[in-house]
Amino acid sequence: MPRTTVLRASIERLEILAPDGSVDGELMPALTDEEMTGMYRDMVRMRAYDAKAVKLQRQGRMGTWASLKGQEAAQAAFAVAMAPEDWLVPAIREQGLALARGVPGHVLYAYWAGDERGSFFPEDVRVFPTAVPIGSQLIHGAGIGMSMRLQGQDAVAVTFGGDGSTSEGDFHEALNFAGVFKAQTVFVIQNNQWAISVPRVSQSAAETLAQKAIAYGIPGIQVDGNDVFAVYVAAREALDRARRGEGPTLIESVTYRLGDHTTADDAGRYRDPEEVAAWETRDPILRLRRYLESRGLWDEPREAALAGEVGRWVEAQVEALEAMPAPDPGDIFRFMYAEMPPHLAGQMHELMEEVGS
Amino acid sequence: MPRTTVLRASIERLEILAPDGSVDGELMPALTDEEMTGMYRDMVRMRAYDAKAVKLQRQGRMGTWASLKGQEAAQAAFAVAMAPEDWLVPAIREQGLALARGVPGHVLYAYWAGDERGSFFPEDVRVFPTAVPIGSQLIHGAGIGMSMRLQGQDAVAVTFGGDGSTSEGDFHEALNFAGVFKAQTVFVIQNNQWAISVPRVSQSAAETLAQKAIAYGIPGIQVDGNDVFAVYVAAREALDRARRGEGPTLIESVTYRLGDHTTADDAGRYRDPEEVAAWETRDPILRLRRYLESRGLWDEPREAALAGEVGRWVEAQVEALEAMPAPDPGDIFRFMYAEMPPHLAGQMHELMEEVGS
Amino acid sequence: MSTRLAERPEGGASAAHPVTPGEGKTERLTIVRAVRDTLAQEMELDPRVLVMGEDVGVNGGVFRATEGLLERFGPERVLDTPLAEDGIVGTAVAMAMTGLRPVVEIQFMGFVYPAVNQILAHAARIRNRTRGRYHVPMVLRMPYGGGIHAPESHSESYEAMFLNAPGIKVVVPSTPRDTKGLLATAIRDEDPVLFLEPKRVYRAFREDVPVDPYTIPLGEAAIPRPGEDVTLIAWGAMVRVCLDAAKVLEREGVSAEVVDLRTLNPLDRETMLGSVRKTGRAVVVHEAPRTAGFGAELVAQINEHALLHLEAPVQRVTGFDTVFPYARLEKLYLPSRERVVQAVRRTLEF
Amino acid sequence: MSTRLAERPEGGASAAHPVTPGEGKTERLTIVRAVRDTLAQEMELDPRVLVMGEDVGVNGGVFRATEGLLERFGPERVLDTPLAEDGIVGTAVAMAMTGLRPVVEIQFMGFVYPAVNQILAHAARIRNRTRGRYHVPMVLRMPYGGGIHAPESHSESYEAMFLNAPGIKVVVPSTPRDTKGLLATAIRDEDPVLFLEPKRVYRAFREDVPVDPYTIPLGEAAIPRPGEDVTLIAWGAMVRVCLDAAKVLEREGVSAEVVDLRTLNPLDRETMLGSVRKTGRAVVVHEAPRTAGFGAELVAQINEHALLHLEAPVQRVTGFDTVFPYARLEKLYLPSRERVVQAVRRTLEF
Ligand SMILES: Cc1ncc(C[n+]2csc(CCOP(=O)(O)OP(=O)(O)O)c2C)c(N)n1
Ligand SMILES: Cc1ncc(C[n+]2csc(CCOP(=O)(O)OP(=O)(O)O)c2C)c(N)n1
Ligand SMILES: [Mg+2]
Ligand SMILES: [Mg+2]
């Protein structure tokens, strides 16, 4: 009756697409050429959308913006892996996936330009609004996954968080609820190595973030988050498992925040330019392009055409953003409750008198 | 570059003293006869102290009481394993260990009798007050462990929680901070199978609670919590590790709450009497007695003497409790701040006028 | 037996029932029993309604407010959750945003702190954040207040913090009849509602409560006792204290009007002001500490809108600005009939 | 370089320094710079003081309020923590109970919710819970308030919730000079102090601040501008708005006295009441939503203690009872000079 082992657990890491564009043929998922070039197009579009926002911010035409540069692969992979009825619960850098799920580009820009209408998404788009308090959205992911299960719906809640978010109690409660109630939820941790200025190693003494799944008795896996195929494979496994009613999965997507934390931040204060340079060579877009080129699915003319197309699309989003009428001051009051209570009507009246409308 | 294993982890379970009183000689710790009989005496005293409180409550002489019946072994083991300078951060059922650490019995009774003086412990007793919000004390355990380390002190914070407490975000943040800062902390989860009416399996999908340690990159171990020797061995390992500056440990002590949740609860509503009966055969006190008897260290006369001694001691605590002068109404105000601000002095005055003192 | 959550009758239940107690059969119920019956009734009427929290299932809740619901509606509609308030409320928020109507029990209001982030940063803001695209029809039931000789953190009245941060309605019934009508309304409401149950009077008295479903609108105060000389304003357990005080005052020839606010947000300012304008004197009574308690807001509103009617400063009878004392001293802390009477005398003698 | 935390000079630093700014050298500092310098100075004076929070180390804080401290005092006294507010505050509580004096930065006040349990259920109650056996000398610094075009949850003013739950002092400086003196006092205080920094004016202006250490007692309001006709009561960033309004009013021949409360708990009631008794008119200004904001408490106290001196109802100029709007509309939400002037006119025309 000595020391016995009551649990053995291990965490795997999945990589398929190398930085040089070569792939592991055995693990390579069955994606059509269109799906693969679609992923590429998506990622290029995300990067352009992001770059434009940073530029607009510098010009004073955009509010604080959180760049997704470098983190496109996981978003493009989930865009293909998710079913139309699935839910996206984003952290703060999932603009790319939100676009892919149907959020109009100018609407999303409006959010970052300091306009609440930027979270009024179309009816048929199952995307939650950005949750600013870090980690709090993970609980919503668990809750949707429970809700879908209780309602007998097939949809899965794909829920993003950052490496920093794994430190909040919310992460714990979310994954624990999801495990207990076999929620139809996939948790994706975009481990981009930094939480503002705090490096991943200072966030937790755990060797990987994926192993945190063990605490909840749920599967966890680490993937190269700059490898669109690896993320896709992990995403499909997790989505299928959730849809089959077998419960949640934690995916740690190891990636890198190539930009500053936000446009209000200067990462040069706290991180080594060499580290950034090293990660630039692992760029998820470059990698996929190399693969596509090696397969004859991509070339310079297509690239040029895409650049033009994406550029025009981005400009159209900016135009649509700037064409939005100014927000109505009354909207400050109109959406607090289903019906406006008298005291709020009074306050709205005060303001309207003041602004003269 | 396929699927690689990036983490392998396992959790051990430690058992030394069987219900029939036999021990695993190889794992048996080097305890003196006095230490072992001391542990036994301690446990008997705890049980009597507890039983008396339940009785007092029934008689209307005690407030709501949380029984520690069945959970004595871990407390007796830590009483021996801890150094004088170590800190105890209790959950709600560590009355036994608090007594062993020097909290006077009547003081602790006073707490449960609804008197704040029941948390005014002697200066040299390093015991934190009971934290009612479940799990919140775990963060204090981490904080003390950080504090001791930062101050270059050797002391370790021994921090208790229940199986239910592992679900709170506090558990997560506590263990994560402790891991990151290599806090001099030992976390002991008294897994007594129930959180009021919620069974352990509904609290988490994890097979063991010990495996939650893996999420923080810290060692975790499961012990038979009704086996005083197993707990002692795990305690010593964890305390030594913390004292050496190697960081925290999570110990899951698998035990059973033999009584109701509190005197306000009726466990008959939600659990099977057969389950309780089965656990009664695994009683930690009985077990140790069998072992001591087999070693010739205990017998009926000693048991009778102890019963008398303990009975007198418990009565003395009750007497001391009931001899305490009534709490002073002014004390409602006196300990809010180091100095009483004017508005509070005014309110105290109001009350004093009213009660005529 | 379990009702499938997705099978919702067209149009929901809201419109189907009278907004005031009907003429039909009544039953003598306590407040806690009215809670339980209303939960069962609303779950029967609307399959989207579910109950969740710590110990609400097998155990029927530590106060038995959910007793029998698990047997009747099954584990898909009565969820015993892990011990994690943030998780409970946060998952409920998401459920409410995706087609369900969770009624959450927080075991004691003293344990709501871990859930404050989900309540105030999310539940209260989702409708506004999304300009109406999503909303959160959720009820948070919490036994609150002192007077039951409970341990620390079991006697708190934290309503004020939910009243300064806008977006969540706050309802506090004081009678079994109001409990039923207000809880039904809260469950059918399209926004998050904090439903505070005065546990001290959970079983203190019974009242005839109509058996048929009915609702009482939020934002309408009641006047359980009309009077002429002074207005006593209270909610929850303090309403009974005021009614007791009014009886004492009556013997002294003072006619006190008692206003039971019933909902703190939205507030029925007009009923309160109407009474104060009539009597010219007011005493506000609550269990929470005085400073920055909701009583201050009432005084401020009276000041703003009825200053010239005041014959004396509005008095506040409240808990002290201290931690709620443990059982042995709690009686000294709680506003008593005597304190209310004294305060009235002060307004009369001003 | 790192100062050993355990080596505390006998008697601590508290007694060694004058309680008001001395005559010596001064430096022109902004508020945020005064915060930083004071932190450094207090860390120098008392080796038990340490700084902790998200991004306070290498990055020097997102507002640079802790810049240079890590280099100067080392990683044992400047702790970059994981992203977990409950953990940060809770570990700080335990540190404060065991011999250290942590100064915690919560990155924005909008992120304090996850820490509310540790603040209100523990920090604020430990002294009382243990009848003085333990206490919690801890400072929680939080940039608060709007006006910087920040995203949601970055502009909040949640002071009211910390004022109804007793046990924690609340300090809000409005000038660089006060920042230094009040922060030094807060750090030396034996009880937990919430130190709210008006980030909108972090860098808005400079002031001559004495280089030598000094303290300003908590619970003493300031009168940055005396006047006769009306009292404007404010704290933090709103003090400047009131001063601006006073200038406008002066041109209209109205003499406004501005009371800067500086600490909300303990409150300097006498200074406020003295001013109101003198002027007979008052306007309370704060950024938080109106209902159940701390302004209500001030109105209630004026009502209780100065009713007969009032020529008009006390006016409140506050945020609306809505979520703090995103950047494009925030200007409409924040109390403006014009709104204050209007409110004063209402009190004059009453
Ligand atoms: C509860 C809370 N605390 C602090 C912040 C401020 N903050 C915004 S983003 C961030 C870092 C997040 O790091 P991570 O989760 O790794 O996400 P990333 O920014 O890297 O995508 C912090 C501290 C916040 N938004 N919410
Ligand atoms: C934050 C919080 N939520 C709820 C409660 C009510 N409560 C008291 S004890 C308890 C169960 C605790 O279970 P566990 O952690 O297993 O400890 P045990 O009682 O079994 O020793 C609950 C829900 C509380 N005290 N604090
Ligand atoms: Mg990150
Ligand atoms: Mg338990």
PDB file of all heavy atoms in Angstrom, chain B residues 99-116:
ATOM      1  N   LEU B  99      -6.075  24.761  17.714  1.00  0.00           N
ATOM      2  CA  LEU B  99      -5.850  24.448  19.132  1.00  0.00           C
ATOM      3  C   LEU B  99      -4.413  23.969  19.322  1.00  0.00           C
ATOM      4  O   LEU B  99      -3.697  24.434  20.218  1.00  0.00           O
ATOM      5  CB  LEU B  99      -6.791  23.334  19.596  1.00  0.00           C
ATOM      6  CG  LEU B  99      -8.290  23.636  19.663  1.00  0.00           C
ATOM      7  CD1 LEU B  99      -9.051  22.368  20.054  1.00  0.00           C
ATOM      8  CD2 LEU B  99      -8.576  24.762  20.645  1.00  0.00           C
ATOM      9  N   ALA B 100      -4.009  23.053  18.481  1.00  0.00           N
ATOM     10  CA  ALA B 100      -2.664  22.485  18.613  1.00  0.00           C
ATOM     11  C   ALA B 100      -1.594  23.557  18.442  1.00  0.00           C
ATOM     12  O   ALA B 100      -0.506  23.460  19.007  1.00  0.00           O
ATOM     13  CB  ALA B 100      -2.465  21.368  17.585  1.00  0.00           C
ATOM     14  N   ARG B 101      -1.903  24.595  17.676  1.00  0.00           N
ATOM     15  CA  ARG B 101      -0.936  25.665  17.450  1.00  0.00           C
ATOM     16  C   ARG B 101      -0.964  26.711  18.561  1.00  0.00           C
ATOM     17  O   ARG B 101      -0.239  27.691  18.486  1.00  0.00           O
ATOM     18  CB  ARG B 101      -1.218  26.371  16.120  1.00  0.00           C
ATOM     19  CG  ARG B 101      -1.178  25.487  14.890  1.00  0.00           C
ATOM     20  CD  ARG B 101       0.204  25.116  14.451  1.00  0.00           C
ATOM     21  NE  ARG B 101       1.040  26.258  14.132  1.00  0.00           N
ATOM     22  CZ  ARG B 101       2.364  26.224  14.086  1.00  0.00           C
ATOM     23  NH1 ARG B 101       3.014  25.121  14.368  1.00  0.00           N
ATOM     24  NH2 ARG B 101       3.048  27.296  13.786  1.00  0.00           N
ATOM     25  N   GLY B 102      -1.865  26.528  19.515  1.00  0.00           N
ATOM     26  CA  GLY B 102      -1.827  27.430  20.662  1.00  0.00           C
ATOM     27  C   GLY B 102      -3.013  28.354  20.834  1.00  0.00           C
ATOM     28  O   GLY B 102      -3.030  29.196  21.736  1.00  0.00           O
ATOM     29  N   VAL B 103      -4.019  28.244  19.977  1.00  0.00           N
ATOM     30  CA  VAL B 103      -5.216  29.053  20.191  1.00  0.00           C
ATOM     31  C   VAL B 103      -5.976  28.453  21.381  1.00  0.00           C
ATOM     32  O   VAL B 103      -6.266  27.260  21.381  1.00  0.00           O
ATOM     33  CB  VAL B 103      -6.114  29.067  18.934  1.00  0.00           C
ATOM     34  CG1 VAL B 103      -7.424  29.781  19.219  1.00  0.00           C
ATOM     35  CG2 VAL B 103      -5.387  29.707  17.765  1.00  0.00           C
ATOM     36  N   PRO B 104      -6.279  29.249  22.380  1.00  0.00           N
ATOM     37  CA  PRO B 104      -7.004  28.708  23.531  1.00  0.00           C
ATOM     38  C   PRO B 104      -8.395  28.207  23.131  1.00  0.00           C
ATOM     39  O   PRO B 104      -9.081  28.832  22.317  1.00  0.00           O
ATOM     40  CB  PRO B 104      -7.107  29.909  24.479  1.00  0.00           C
ATOM     41  CG  PRO B 104      -6.041  30.864  24.026  1.00  0.00           C
ATOM     42  CD  PRO B 104      -5.914  30.660  22.558  1.00  0.00           C
ATOM     43  N   GLY B 105      -8.787  27.081  23.704  1.00  0.00           N
ATOM     44  CA  GLY B 105     -10.062  26.454  23.340  1.00  0.00           C
ATOM     45  C   GLY B 105     -11.264  27.356  23.543  1.00  0.00           C
ATOM     46  O   GLY B 105     -12.169  27.390  22.708  1.00  0.00           O
ATOM     47  N   HIS B 106     -11.262  28.106  24.620  1.00  0.00           N
ATOM     48  CA  HIS B 106     -12.446  28.933  24.856  1.00  0.00           C
ATOM     49  C   HIS B 106     -12.498  30.112  23.888  1.00  0.00           C
ATOM     50  O   HIS B 106     -13.566  30.594  23.540  1.00  0.00           O
ATOM     51  CB  HIS B 106     -12.485  29.424  26.308  1.00  0.00           C
ATOM     52  CG  HIS B 106     -11.491  30.495  26.621  1.00  0.00           C
ATOM     53  ND1 HIS B 106     -10.159  30.247  26.824  1.00  0.00           N
ATOM     54  CD2 HIS B 106     -11.637  31.831  26.750  1.00  0.00           C
ATOM     55  CE1 HIS B 106      -9.529  31.381  27.073  1.00  0.00           C
ATOM     56  NE2 HIS B 106     -10.402  32.366  27.039  1.00  0.00           N
ATOM     57  N   VAL B 107     -11.349  30.550  23.432  1.00  0.00           N
ATOM     58  CA  VAL B 107     -11.315  31.644  22.451  1.00  0.00           C
ATOM     59  C   VAL B 107     -11.944  31.177  21.143  1.00  0.00           C
ATOM     60  O   VAL B 107     -12.806  31.844  20.561  1.00  0.00           O
ATOM     61  CB  VAL B 107      -9.871  32.139  22.229  1.00  0.00           C
ATOM     62  CG1 VAL B 107      -9.789  33.080  21.034  1.00  0.00           C
ATOM     63  CG2 VAL B 107      -9.349  32.825  23.488  1.00  0.00           C
ATOM     64  N   LEU B 108     -11.539  30.002  20.707  1.00  0.00           N
ATOM     65  CA  LEU B 108     -12.077  29.475  19.466  1.00  0.00           C
ATOM     66  C   LEU B 108     -13.580  29.226  19.587  1.00  0.00           C
ATOM     67  O   LEU B 108     -14.349  29.508  18.659  1.00  0.00           O
ATOM     68  CB  LEU B 108     -11.348  28.175  19.130  1.00  0.00           C
ATOM     69  CG  LEU B 108     -11.258  27.812  17.667  1.00  0.00           C
ATOM     70  CD1 LEU B 108     -10.708  28.966  16.852  1.00  0.00           C
ATOM     71  CD2 LEU B 108     -10.341  26.591  17.507  1.00  0.00           C
ATOM     72  N   TYR B 109     -13.986  28.717  20.713  1.00  0.00           N
ATOM     73  CA  TYR B 109     -15.428  28.549  20.949  1.00  0.00           C
ATOM     74  C   TYR B 109     -16.144  29.901  20.825  1.00  0.00           C
ATOM     75  O   TYR B 109     -17.243  29.992  20.283  1.00  0.00           O
ATOM     76  CB  TYR B 109     -15.681  27.982  22.347  1.00  0.00           C
ATOM     77  CG  TYR B 109     -15.719  26.468  22.443  1.00  0.00           C
ATOM     78  CD1 TYR B 109     -15.628  25.841  23.697  1.00  0.00           C
ATOM     79  CD2 TYR B 109     -15.884  25.660  21.319  1.00  0.00           C
ATOM     80  CE1 TYR B 109     -15.680  24.459  23.826  1.00  0.00           C
ATOM     81  CE2 TYR B 109     -15.927  24.270  21.434  1.00  0.00           C
ATOM     82  CZ  TYR B 109     -15.831  23.675  22.690  1.00  0.00           C
ATOM     83  OH  TYR B 109     -15.885  22.316  22.806  1.00  0.00           O
ATOM     84  N   ALA B 110     -15.516  30.924  21.357  1.00  0.00           N
ATOM     85  CA  ALA B 110     -16.165  32.238  21.353  1.00  0.00           C
ATOM     86  C   ALA B 110     -16.462  32.686  19.921  1.00  0.00           C
ATOM     87  O   ALA B 110     -17.510  33.264  19.635  1.00  0.00           O
ATOM     88  CB  ALA B 110     -15.294  33.273  22.058  1.00  0.00           C
ATOM     89  N   TYR B 111     -15.518  32.393  19.004  1.00  0.00           N
ATOM     90  CA  TYR B 111     -15.756  32.744  17.603  1.00  0.00           C
ATOM     91  C   TYR B 111     -17.063  32.136  17.112  1.00  0.00           C
ATOM     92  O   TYR B 111     -17.907  32.803  16.514  1.00  0.00           O
ATOM     93  CB  TYR B 111     -14.594  32.283  16.726  1.00  0.00           C
ATOM     94  CG  TYR B 111     -14.868  32.446  15.250  1.00  0.00           C
ATOM     95  CD1 TYR B 111     -14.726  33.693  14.641  1.00  0.00           C
ATOM     96  CD2 TYR B 111     -15.311  31.381  14.478  1.00  0.00           C
ATOM     97  CE1 TYR B 111     -15.009  33.858  13.296  1.00  0.00           C
ATOM     98  CE2 TYR B 111     -15.590  31.536  13.128  1.00  0.00           C
ATOM     99  CZ  TYR B 111     -15.438  32.767  12.545  1.00  0.00           C
ATOM    100  OH  TYR B 111     -15.723  32.929  11.228  1.00  0.00           O
ATOM    101  N   TRP B 112     -17.200  30.860  17.392  1.00  0.00           N
ATOM    102  CA  TRP B 112     -18.385  30.156  16.891  1.00  0.00           C
ATOM    103  C   TRP B 112     -19.631  30.493  17.693  1.00  0.00           C
ATOM    104  O   TRP B 112     -20.753  30.241  17.256  1.00  0.00           O
ATOM    105  CB  TRP B 112     -18.128  28.653  16.876  1.00  0.00           C
ATOM    106  CG  TRP B 112     -17.045  28.298  15.902  1.00  0.00           C
ATOM    107  CD1 TRP B 112     -15.706  28.165  16.166  1.00  0.00           C
ATOM    108  CD2 TRP B 112     -17.197  28.054  14.504  1.00  0.00           C
ATOM    109  NE1 TRP B 112     -15.021  27.853  15.012  1.00  0.00           N
ATOM    110  CE2 TRP B 112     -15.916  27.775  13.977  1.00  0.00           C
ATOM    111  CE3 TRP B 112     -18.295  28.042  13.634  1.00  0.00           C
ATOM    112  CZ2 TRP B 112     -15.689  27.492  12.619  1.00  0.00           C
ATOM    113  CZ3 TRP B 112     -18.080  27.754  12.290  1.00  0.00           C
ATOM    114  CH2 TRP B 112     -16.787  27.484  11.799  1.00  0.00           C
ATOM    115  N   ALA B 113     -19.423  31.078  18.842  1.00  0.00           N
ATOM    116  CA  ALA B 113     -20.566  31.525  19.645  1.00  0.00           C
ATOM    117  C   ALA B 113     -20.995  32.935  19.233  1.00  0.00           C
ATOM    118  O   ALA B 113     -21.834  33.554  19.884  1.00  0.00           O
ATOM    119  CB  ALA B 113     -20.215  31.480  21.129  1.00  0.00           C
ATOM    120  N   GLY B 114     -20.389  33.453  18.169  1.00  0.00           N
ATOM    121  CA  GLY B 114     -20.834  34.758  17.669  1.00  0.00           C
ATOM    122  C   GLY B 114     -20.179  35.921  18.369  1.00  0.00           C
ATOM    123  O   GLY B 114     -20.811  36.940  18.634  1.00  0.00           O
ATOM    124  N   ASP B 115     -18.879  35.792  18.638  1.00  0.00           N
ATOM    125  CA  ASP B 115     -18.172  36.824  19.395  1.00  0.00           C
ATOM    126  C   ASP B 115     -16.837  37.084  18.705  1.00  0.00           C
ATOM    127  O   ASP B 115     -15.996  36.191  18.590  1.00  0.00           O
ATOM    128  CB  ASP B 115     -17.951  36.307  20.823  1.00  0.00           C
ATOM    129  CG  ASP B 115     -17.405  37.378  21.751  1.00  0.00           C
ATOM    130  OD1 ASP B 115     -16.677  38.280  21.285  1.00  0.00           O
ATOM    131  OD2 ASP B 115     -17.708  37.293  22.957  1.00  0.00           O
ATOM    132  N   GLU B 116     -16.638  38.321  18.269  1.00  0.00           N
ATOM    133  CA  GLU B 116     -15.412  38.642  17.537  1.00  0.00           C
ATOM    134  C   GLU B 116     -14.148  38.403  18.358  1.00  0.00           C
ATOM    135  O   GLU B 116     -13.072  38.197  17.789  1.00  0.00           O
ATOM    136  CB  GLU B 116     -15.429  40.095  17.057  1.00  0.00           C
ATOM    137  CG  GLU B 116     -16.337  40.364  15.861  1.00  0.00           C
ATOM    138  CD  GLU B 116     -17.777  40.646  16.263  1.00  0.00           C
ATOM    139  OE1 GLU B 116     -18.146  40.389  17.438  1.00  0.00           O
ATOM    140  OE2 GLU B 116     -18.545  41.108  15.398  1.00  0.00           O
TER     141      GLU B 116
END
